[in-house]
Amino acid sequence: MGIVMGPNQYGKSECRIVTINRDSSRHTIKDLNVSTALRGDFDETHYTGDNAKVLPTDTQKNTVYALAKEQSVGEIEDFATRLGRHFIDTQEPVKGARILVEEYAWERIPVSGTGHDHSFARSSDEKRTTAVTIDGSETHVVSGLKDLVVLKSTGSEFWGYPKDRFTTLAETDDRILATAVTARWRYLHTDVDWAKSFESVRETMLETFATTHSYALQQSLYEMGKAVLEKHPEVAEVRMSLPNKHHFLVDMQQFGLENNNEVFFAADRPYGLIEGTVSRDDVEEAPKAWYSLPEF
């Protein structure tokens, strides 16, 4: 029985890059975290340490910065595609590339009611994401968002669950429902207006979260994914990870006070974690390859 090298990849993780467009006095900013991963004919470096076919990860890092200078970053899906295609087109041993990008949003600081030309503020920890995989001539895109914190102060219940001798949680017909949404959606093709699609998917998820009377966070997850697929024919499936950010009603009876769902203890851990994929039943399932949705 022989021992062989299995599937492998290598690259540079978390290249932080900020670009400023100075074409006019009103600047624009792109703040990204970029990771590269290359696959191809790299058996010899594993078997013998021969690096003749190994493009250094430092070169990959430099390429991120150089391509951002040669052409404006634009939408992160387009930038990731340019990066991946560059590695495949210029390095013969490289047969595939996967580029991961996180984008941090900055908003203009308002001055006298108008956004300032060159001063910005970060408003939240939310990030826009994409994973672009190029395999030969094929390009596959999975975009998404992470750390989108949302909360409903009512319109959520939780009851009717199994109970055993270890159950202490009380049923409720009125609770706070809060989560930090991580969502990824797989596109069926690349003929997409990336910015428009992202904003619309995000808006659809938020509207659905707000308007769904929820009996379980699982129900909210399904309704949010379903709404995205109904409105966006370019999307094949939506995968979400929703930590349940628990808010427990504070018992104020010992103080002689009545707490009418007004004061809560916000617990950061432990937390429930709800995950799932909502997909079309008439679309072929993504193969278990690079461009399938990343695991959480």
Side-chain angles (χ1 to χ4, degrees):
M1 179 180 68
I3 298 175
V4 298
M5 187 68 203
N8 59 87
Q9 64 186 39
Y10 81 102
K12 200 68 157 183
S13 290
E14 302 200 46
C15 304
R16 291 289 283 110
I17 175 172
V18 174
T19 68
I20 306 295
N21 186 313
R22 303 176 184 272
D23 289 345
S24 72
S25 61
R26 190 169 178 81
H27 297 167
T28 58
I29 183 172
K30 281 284 187 177
D31 186 353
L32 309 179
N33 190 22
V34 182
S35 297
T36 64
L38 307 181
R39 294 184 73 177
D41 181 12
F42 305 127
D43 284 352
E44 281 308 309
T45 192
H46 292 93
Y47 291 141
T48 69
D50 183 347
N51 294 319
K53 297 179 178 180
V54 178
L55 183 70
T57 63
D58 189 67
T59 304
Q60 296 179 42
K61 173 205 69 179
N62 293 341
T63 304
V64 172
Y65 298 124
L67 292 193
K69 167 58 180 174
E70 289 181 349
Q71 184 178 349
S72 64
V73 170
E75 299 303 324
I76 58 175
E77 292 84 358
D78 291 328
F79 183 60
T81 300
R82 289 201 303 273
L83 271 174
R85 183 54 62 191
H86 168 86
F87 292 126
I88 293 174
D89 291 345
T90 62
Q91 301 295 317
E92 192 278 333
V94 177
K95 307 303 181 185
R98 187 179 194 189
I99 311 298
L100 307 180
V101 183
E102 294 179 340
E103 180 175 6
Y104 308 88
W106 290 85
E107 297 180 354
R108 296 186 185 278
I109 295 175
V111 177
S112 300
T114 302
H116 196 268
D117 284 348
H118 57 260
S119 297
F120 305 84
R122 282 276 299 276
S123 58
S124 75
D125 291 330
E126 181 187 348
K127 306 167 192 69
R128 177 178 170 182
T129 66
T130 195
V132 174
T133 300
I134 302 175
D135 187 8
S137 62
E138 297 184 349
T139 301
H140 307 275
V141 178
V142 176
S143 290
L145 55 82
K146 61 189 300 186
D147 300 324
L148 172 58
V149 180
V150 293
L151 180 150
K152 289 167 66 78
S153 56
T154 190
S156 176
E157 308 180 28
F158 190 63
W159 50 269
Y161 46 83
K163 303 175 183 65
D164 63 16
R165 63 194 181 98
F166 300 122
T167 301
T168 59
L169 183 69
E171 294 187 344
T172 179
D173 59 4
D174 189 7
R175 66 169 181 170
I176 286 178
L177 181 65
T179 187
V181 179
T182 293
R184 300 184 178 101
W185 49 92
R186 178 169 63 93
Y187 286 104
L188 288 166
H189 52 79
T190 59
D191 184 18
V192 177
D193 183 329
W194 303 118
K196 182 178 179 181
S197 180
F198 173 81
E199 291 299 334
S200 182
V201 170
R202 182 182 184 275
E203 179 181 280
T204 299
M205 288 194 296
L206 286 174
E207 287 183 354
T208 306
F209 176 83
T211 58
T212 298
H213 187 97
S214 179
Y215 295 93
L217 188 51
Q218 289 90 334
Q219 176 197 8
S220 296
L221 181 152
Y222 173 75
E223 292 296 334
M224 291 164 70
K226 176 185 173 186
V228 169
L229 294 179
E230 288 177 340
K231 190 172 181 179
H232 295 87
E234 72 274 18
V235 175
E237 62 181 351
V238 183
R239 179 174 292 185
M240 280 176 278
S241 178
L242 305 180
N244 197 337
K245 303 177 80 66
H246 299 299
H247 290 68
F248 297 109
L249 197 66
V250 176
D251 183 1
M252 293 191 169
Q253 290 184 344
Q254 58 187 322
F255 312 135
L257 299 173
E258 185 176 359
N259 190 356
N260 295 315
N261 272 9
E262 296 165 315
V263 180
F264 297 83
F265 166 64
D268 64 345
R269 64 196 66 182
Y271 54 86
L273 182 59
I274 313 303
E275 298 178 309
T277 302
V278 184
S279 59
R280 303 182 188 278
D281 61 7
D282 59 347
V283 172
E284 183 177 355
E285 182 179 356
K288 296 188 180 301
W290 275 11
Y291 59 91
S292 60
L293 292 173
E295 296 300 322
F296 292 110

